[in-house]
Amino acid sequence: MPDFLHALSNPDIAFLRYALIAGLMASIPFGIIGSYVVTRRISYIAGAISHSVLGGIGLAIYLKTALHISWCDPMCGALAAALASALLIGFVSMYAKQREDTVIGAIWSVGMASGILFIAKSPGYIDAMSYLFGNILLITRNDLFVIGGLNILILLICILFHDKFLAICFDEEFAILRGINVKFYYLLLLCLTALTIVLLVRIVGIVMVIAFLTLPAAVGGHFSRRLSFMMFISAAICMSFTFFGLWASYSWDLPSGSTIIVFAGLCYILTAIASQFLKRRKKRIS
Amino acid sequence: MTENNGSIIKIEKMRFAYYNEIPVLEDVNLEIPANSSACIVGPNGGGKTTLLKLILGLLHPTSGKIEVFGSSPEKARTKIGYVPQYTAFDPMFPVSVMDVALMGRMEKHRFGFYSKADRRKVLEIFDEIGAANLKDRSFSELSGGQRQRILIARALVSDPGLLLLDEPTANIDPAVEEQIFDILRKLEKKLTILTVTHDLGFVSSIFQTAICVNRKIVIHPTSQMTGERIQEIYGRKIRMIHHNHDCGGHNA
């Protein structure tokens, strides 16, 4: 551990510090949006959105390298693809409920496939692995500003509309009956999920997004009686996952994203077992 | 528009079918006057819940007309307090009793959080229905009867003119059921109540009118529904009844 802390202050390996700052900052929206995703049970939608992101990244790389459109950055492509698939899934689930899972599956795999095709046709070597499994160590100073900006945006919207989001997660029908524009808020929630996923892809990669969005919230859910507290505790858990995951990955020279996810998975299993145990004991006492 | 000559719900020649198939409801004419209360009874699949959803504007009639408070159900919606069955909820959802009850006032602010006035109103209603001791609990740790009571509170905090309940005593043990009846008896003096129920004991003890729904509807005054009369019609003990008579031969 002292080695790791020392390395954080070493100016020669600034990337490690950036990685940690990015992970800690992004933990706040992960905790908030993850709690909505878990309670509203839309983690499969989150999965589809995250995989469609590769399509956007691929297209952006292709436009940039093959067609020389220089402003086209992979992050822009990721953002556009995530928002587009969030809206598409949202509209389908509102207007053709029984087909929702088919569309989710289609977006999931077509998004990935088109991404791979674009990358294959782009000149030069592009490492798709770092998008699939994340590479927190490639985060630059500029990324920190992007992450910070998205952070503030997500936080602000969630503070303004938390009451409405809670209501549609808990009982959508009742929210409709109170005259709330449920379709608007549901789409807004999906778009926020999409934004969060773009942040996550940067840190843990496309494949592991669902885990990082749902595991901290699931761990937090064991200790929470209110959604707002669940968000707070999941954000804190996300931060500790990032910190200890990075530490382990630095100490034993392991891929950062995967280390963080395996660590998160272990914690989830342990807390699930512990909470079962506590429940049983509580029953025996009462 | 005013409240349409004192009637809160007015349904004329309404017909409803899902996807143009066999109608679930047909030839429905119904008028619920202000300050009256009624229960909706009928066999499973007879269209009770469908009728409720049509009144709430969650479904739209295939033909005919529904007016609630003199306007369309969508416009009148916020004047209705709706109480769904508590079993419809995720039992693990992390939400407090206060949070749930506050949802009844969610349309009163556009941004930000619930006001002090909202909280005061919730506490007032909790006192009224005897749920004040539950206010700091988590919704998921409540018993079925307690949850149902909180859902009634949620419907009441918006000061509705009409209260709609979907089988408020389903899956609740008889002792707690009686408490829910007491709440409804008290409320009945103040507002119009319409409740779907299987329990015909319920019918005669609280409501003036029973609306029998089985594709068509027939309205009975509950004064005709004494215990003996019910047993005569249904041939079994009241609590176990399945409502499947033809309501006086209208389906001939």
Side-chain angles (χ1 to χ4, degrees), chain A residues 38-41 98 158-171 173-180 185 221-222 224-228 230 279 282, chain B residues 53 56 58 77-82 84 89-90 92-96 99-100 103-107 109-114 136 138-139 141 151 154-155 158:
Chain A
V38 167
T39 54
R40 184 66 174 72
R41 299 180 183 226
Q98 66 275 41
C158 287
I159 289 173
L160 284 179
F161 299 119
H162 176 71
D163 289 342
K164 308 291 187 293
F165 289 147
L166 171 64
I168 65 164
C169 288
F170 180 68
D171 186 355
E173 191 180 56
F174 190 78
I176 296 173
L177 295 176
R178 290 321 308 157
I180 300 295
Y185 287 108
H222 287 306
S224 309
R225 300 161 121 211
R226 296 187 68 191
L227 190 61
S228 47
M230 180 173 173
K279 236 180 247 165
K282 212 171 165 187
Chain B
K53 291 197 164 164
L56 289 165
L58 292 171
R77 225 172 230 177
T78 49
K79 293 184 204 158
I80 304 175
Y82 174 58
F89 297 96
D90 174 1
M92 293 283 289
F93 201 102
V95 65
S96 72
D99 288 334
V100 172
M103 284 178 201
R105 295 175 73 87
M106 72 174 98
E107 78 283 6
H109 64 291
R110 195 176 281 271
F111 308 111
F113 300 107
Y114 291 103
D136 298 318
S138 158
F139 189 68
E141 62 185 35
L151 293 179
R154 179 178 74 162
S158 58

Side-chain angles (χ1 to χ4, degrees), chain B residues 159-170:
Chain B
D159 288 320
L162 167 67
L163 190 66
L164 290 187
L165 301 99
D166 190 2
E167 306 218 15
T169 56

Side-chain angles (χ1 to χ4, degrees), chain A residues 87 157 161 165 183-193:
Chain A
L87 290 173
I157 295 176
F161 299 119
F165 289 147
K183 288 175 181 169
F184 168 76
Y185 287 108
Y186 182 57
L187 286 178
L188 183 61
L189 186 59
L190 286 183
C191 287
L192 289 177
T193 308

